[in-house]
Amino acid sequence: MYLVTGATGNVGSEVVSALAAAGAPVRALVRRPDAELPDGAEAAVGDLNSPDGLTDALTGVEGVFLLSGYENMPGMLAQARDAGVRRIVLLSGGSAALADLDNAVSRYMTLSERAVRESGLDWTFLRPRAFMSNALRWLPQLRAGDTVRAQFPHVAAACIDPADIAAVAALALAGGHEGLVHELTGPVAIRPAEQVEVLASVLGRDLRFVGLSDDETRAELAAAMPREYVEAFWSFYVDGTLDEATVYPTVGEVTGRPARSFAQWVEAHADAFR
Ligand SMILES: NC(=O)c1ccc[n+]([C@@H]2O[C@H](COP(=O)([O-])OP(=O)(O)OC[C@H]3O[C@@H](n4cnc5c(N)ncnc54)[C@H](OP(=O)(O)O)[C@@H]3O)[C@@H](O)[C@H]2O)c1
């Protein structure tokens, strides 16, 4: 049995689907009992911030697909070990490599990886760069009109389809990836303006791109998240501390098929944009 956390999210839902499609027994950790799950997946209700409540979810589980950054990662991992779990596949991120404890994002990735390393369980770390699904942030603008105003317009990112992260995760959960750190990207680095061009082409819409200035970007971020996260993203994308542009061959090497393009991701999610 595999336990998938974040099972209603962009990556976790794809991990559940990938495991269920492969006929693997899969349990989805959800906070709401009425959460929608793919056929073949059973639900377990629990909260990652309350490891004491995860006993039932962890019973009989061999491997856990685990999100980073929850309040008591060592406690959660101790629960897993005590329940007989053998393997953790951790969804981390590229900023874990910076090990910058003064940066709120790098900090939670770094500390989560550290907790897993120290847990005594077998582990695999997935360090994806920006997700293609981040483009869903533009949905309100796309519903309201034909102009997309984007933050950090100068940043080229080798963004990745969450389904590709999930494909690697599903294979790692089955074993054979112990002690590996998988750097995960899509096939090419693209800027937000190029993403909007792809959206226009696939959706058949005449879209206009507007890159936000640094001041406008900062104002938008400040309205959406705590200050320490604003500073974290500023450091990554304005100071340039995080390399989002390098393309890694890992998805192809692990899955045996090429990483999906942004156009393929948009085609697969076109209904969400209509
Ligand atoms: N976006 C990026 O570019 C990027 C890049 C690298 C790494 N990452 C990492 O990837 C993670 C997952 O991204 P995503 O896009 O798949 O996330 P998402 O779509 O926002 O989904 C988050 C998932 O976590 C669940 N969750 C939240 N708090 C929880 C809690 N206390 N206990 C149990 N489950 C909880 C949510 O469940 P509910 O349905 O109950 O809310 C949901 O299933 C991010 O959090 C980040 O750490 C993201």
Side-chain angles (χ1 to χ4, degrees), residues 2-21 26-30 35-38 41-42 48 64-68 70 89-92 126 128 131 133 161-167 169-170 173 269:
Y2 299 112
L3 179 69
V4 177
T5 70
T8 55
N10 293 303
V11 181
S13 63
E14 297 282 6
V15 178
V16 173
S17 296
L19 290 168
V26 53
R27 186 178 293 156
L29 186 75
V30 291
E36 246 181 66
L37 296 172
E42 66 179 52
L48 282 169
V64 178
F65 173 77
L66 182 62
L67 301 192
S68 292
Y70 291 90
V89 175
L90 181 75
L91 181 60
S92 176
L126 309 183
F131 297 175
S133 49
D161 186 333
D164 281 339
I165 304 171
L173 280 167
H269 296 82

Side-chain angles (χ1 to χ4, degrees), residues 115-200:
V116 174
R117 280 181 201 272
E118 290 173 355
S119 70
L121 294 161
D122 287 339
W123 56 262
T124 308
F125 296 157
L126 309 183
R127 290 184 181 166
R129 301 310 191 267
F131 297 175
M132 291 175 179
S133 49
N134 293 347
L136 293 168
R137 290 179 191 147
W138 296 332
L139 270 181
Q141 300 190 66
L142 289 163
R143 289 191 181 122
D146 293 323
T147 299
V148 176
R149 297 162 57 81
Q151 302 165 356
F152 303 122
H154 56 286
V155 174
C159 54
I160 180 164
D161 186 333
D164 281 339
I165 304 171
V168 173
L171 291 166
L173 280 167
H177 294 248
E178 290 79 5
L180 295 181
V181 178
H182 286 317
E183 310 284 349
L184 301 175
T185 69
V188 66
I190 54 174
R191 291 190 169 77
E194 296 166 272
Q195 290 187 301
V196 171
E197 272 173 33
V198 171
L199 279 167

Side-chain angles (χ1 to χ4, degrees), residues 5-95:
T5 70
T8 55
N10 293 303
V11 181
S13 63
E14 297 282 6
V15 178
V16 173
S17 296
L19 290 168
V26 53
R27 186 178 293 156
L29 186 75
V30 291
R31 289 190 291 180
R32 287 176 296 106
D34 60 343
E36 246 181 66
L37 296 172
D39 285 347
E42 66 179 52
V45 177
D47 190 311
L48 282 169
N49 286 325
S50 307
D52 290 347
L54 297 178
T55 311
D56 288 350
L58 288 164
T59 300
V61 168
E62 171 188 344
V64 178
F65 173 77
L66 182 62
L67 301 192
S68 292
Y70 291 90
E71 277 168 26
N72 180 5
M73 298 296 283
M76 190 275 156
L77 291 157
Q79 287 280 342
R81 201 183 46 238
D82 292 349
V85 170
R86 286 170 35 210
R87 187 175 304 125
I88 301 291
V89 175
L90 181 75
L91 181 60
S92 176
S95 71

